[in-house]
Amino acid sequence: MMEESHMGRPAEMMSFMDAVKSGLGRWNDFSGRSSRSEYWFLYLFGRVFQIGGFALMFISEYFGFVLLIGLLMLIVPFMAVSVRRLHDVGQSGWMLLIGIIPIVNLVGGFVLLYWFIFAAGEEQANRFGPVPTNMLE
């Protein structure tokens, strides 16, 4: 069993494989919360997939089509884990839209980056759900 810190947050971060399984397993779940480790390990998985796919494109045009389909299939899971990460810091998932508004996204993009990178999740259950356990359910 995983120990919790004195503040209610999990004492350990989620492993890479658990984060990928959780992120892809909850691909259409826009409710609840996700920890920083789950968000960033899924992001890392996406980048590794993208780089590997581009490397395979040089072998065959067929792999380029497979890469495109794979990247399109990752859009919804990435949006879902981003919304859940915003929920973890106490923000609405709608805040993700500030990244697409012209001019506003200059400042809003940095605000989103702060929430994704530096902001620790809330230490207790919030309106979006309980504190993430960093364990597969």
Side-chain angles (χ1 to χ4, degrees):
M1 191 112 186
M2 182 176 294
E3 295 180 27
E4 291 197 9
S5 68
H6 66 283
M7 295 185 187
R9 298 295 298 176
E12 298 175 21
M13 68 179 180
M14 184 176 263
S15 72
F16 177 80
M17 287 307 297
D18 286 349
V20 172
K21 288 177 189 175
S22 175
L24 295 180
R26 297 183 346 169
W27 68 274
N28 63 346
D29 182 11
F30 288 83
S31 63
R33 296 165 65 175
S34 288
S35 64
R36 277 185 287 196
S37 58
E38 181 179 359
Y39 174 81
W40 284 109
F41 280 142
L42 187 64
Y43 183 84
L44 177 64
F45 167 77
R47 291 297 167 218
V48 168
F49 178 81
Q50 184 180 25
I51 291 168
F54 283 126
L56 288 175
M57 272 183 17
F58 291 109
I59 297 172
S60 170
E61 292 177 8
Y62 171 74
F63 288 117
F65 180 72
V66 171
L67 172 69
L68 178 64
I69 297 300
L71 290 175
L72 289 175
M73 289 176 60
L74 288 176
I75 290 173
V76 174
F78 284 163
M79 287 177 55
V81 78
S82 297
V83 167
R84 291 193 310 265
R85 177 68 191 124
L86 286 172
H87 287 174
D88 191 37
V89 296
Q91 300 298 322
S92 169
W94 292 106
M95 294 300 286
L96 196 59
L97 294 177
I98 65 174
I100 63 171
I101 301 171
I103 307 300
V104 174
N105 69 2
L106 293 174
V107 174
F110 288 115
V111 172
L112 285 173
L113 272 177
Y114 171 77
W115 286 332
F116 289 143
I117 297 173
F118 301 112
E122 293 186 351
E123 300 168 355
Q124 66 280 349
N126 62 17
R127 64 185 175 159
F128 301 108
V131 176
T133 62
N134 282 347
M135 296 177 69
L136 284 178
E137 297 173 0

